[in-house]
Amino acid sequence: MTIPIPIIMMAMGTITDRSIAMDDFFLRALLAGTGLALTVGPLGCFVIWRRMAYFGDTMAHSSLLGVALALMFSLNLTLSVFVVAAAVSLLLLVLQKRGGLSADSLLGILSHSTLAIGLVLVAFMSWVRIDLMSYLFGDILAVEPVDIATVWLGGAFVLAVLALIWRPLLASTVSEDVAEAEGLNPARARLVFMLLMALVIAIAMKIVGILLITALLIIPAATARRFAATPERMAILASLIGAVAVIGGLYGSLSYDTPSGPSIVVAALVLFVISLLPVVRRGNVLKG
């Protein structure tokens, strides 16, 4: 049986269109993931230096409450997550000043409480169909051009503000008393840093998900510390290592049909394990 040439041409055109579409969504994922990695690298360095990994987890978990409130009241998702994460940060500062409980105890209460409240609110909204897995583990392959713009513009804003508070934040990381003596206002720098973390988590939630945000913050920065000799070099290396992890994770996800968000974290873990090899030169940056 001979297949008419027009039908063959139509079939080839369909395949080409699908290939172009696949290239488009993969390119969007690369752009969004790389932009996020470049942003979280320097923030992750401070998370490690200041031993704030649990704080990052708390803010990430609180984002599910932001999602639930956004769906319940038809709010902008990114704005809702940012407001909730920022509110949790401010609440933590207030509770710390009152004393009575250690910081890790307060973080544990806030982390699990906000996550549980978010899950309960989602369960009550039976009229809304929610893909909970996409919020927990992200869906970077579903990003749209507006998401890419949000990541890059938001990331540029975060890095610009971080550059402004870099000196007082770094000084207070080394010694809070010395920073105060030099008039650097470390409390204000710490507050701004927490708000920047809230903004990054709001931006990153759709890409890597609630449960994987902290991993993307910590692992590239921990890897960079093995190579860098100064804080500034460590911040730059953390961004570059995060970008490599995003690219490697996405290509691995495409090749082996694995979830994209977890694949990015696994790629970052592989780079960290490589950095532990004895032949790798160690850096000497602030130990966290």
Side-chain angles (χ1 to χ4, degrees):
M1 178 179 178
T2 304
I3 301 177
I5 292 179
I7 296 179
I8 296 177
M9 296 298 293
M10 290 176 61
M12 292 179 62
T14 302
I15 293 173
T16 303
D17 291 342
R18 289 178 179 175
S19 299
I20 292 174
M22 179 175 291
D23 290 342
D24 286 345
F25 83 77
F26 191 72
L27 179 60
R28 289 197 297 268
L30 284 174
L31 288 173
T34 302
L36 178 62
L38 295 177
T39 302
V40 301
L43 291 175
C45 293
F46 279 105
V47 169
I48 286 181
W49 295 334
R50 301 175 73 92
R51 300 182 181 182
M52 295 175 64
Y54 203 3
F55 172 75
D57 266 335
T58 300
M59 297 187 72
H61 289 172
S62 70
S63 61
L64 185 61
L65 176 57
V67 171
L69 293 176
L71 295 173
M72 180 173 289
F73 298 106
S74 300
L75 304 173
N76 178 271
L77 183 63
T78 302
L79 179 61
S80 178
V81 171
F82 169 72
V83 170
V84 170
V88 169
S89 301
L90 296 176
L91 180 59
L92 174 64
L93 291 177
V94 172
L95 292 176
Q96 282 181 325
K97 288 182 179 179
R98 293 186 62 181
L101 287 175
S102 61
D104 59 337
S105 298
L106 292 172
L107 286 171
I109 294 171
L110 291 174
S111 174
H112 301 302
S113 298
T114 52
L115 181 62
I117 293 172
L119 289 171
V120 169
L121 289 180
V122 168
F124 273 122
M125 290 185 288
S126 56
W127 63 91
V128 179
R129 297 188 63 181
I130 301 175
D131 183 7
L132 195 57
M133 293 296 289
S134 67
Y135 290 117
L136 294 177
F137 297 101
D139 192 5
I140 191 173
L141 298 179
V143 296
E144 300 293 337
V146 65
D147 299 318
I148 298 173
T150 301
V151 168
W152 282 91
L153 292 177
F157 173 77
V158 167
L159 293 178
V161 175
L162 184 62
L164 292 176
I165 65 170
W166 180 271
R167 184 167 175 261
L169 193 60
L170 186 62
S172 64
T173 300
V174 177
S175 174
E176 192 88 14
D177 295 334
V178 172
E180 288 183 357
E182 293 182 359
L184 295 177
N185 201 338
R188 182 177 61 188
R190 184 171 61 251
L191 175 60
V192 173
F193 176 73
M194 288 181 171
L195 294 178
L196 292 180
M197 285 279 291
L199 179 58
V200 165
I201 286 172
I203 295 172
M205 184 190 64
K206 184 174 182 179
I207 297 176
V208 293
I210 294 169
L211 300 182
L212 303 179
I213 293 174
T214 313
L216 195 59
L217 274 166
I218 294 174
I219 300 177
T223 307
R225 192 172 65 178
R226 305 283 297 180
F227 299 93
T230 65
E232 292 75 16
R233 289 182 182 178
M234 178 174 164
I236 294 172
L237 276 176
S239 294
L240 296 178
I241 290 170
V244 172
V246 167
I247 295 171
L250 284 175
Y251 273 102
S253 173
L254 185 65
S255 301
Y256 300 104
D257 194 25
T258 54
S260 53
S263 297
I264 292 172
V265 176
V266 170
L269 177 62
V270 170
L271 294 175
F272 175 71
V273 171
I274 292 174
S275 75
L276 296 177
L277 297 176
V279 294
V280 174
R281 176 179 176 271
R282 294 186 178 183
N284 187 25
V285 192
L286 303 172
K287 298 298 182 182

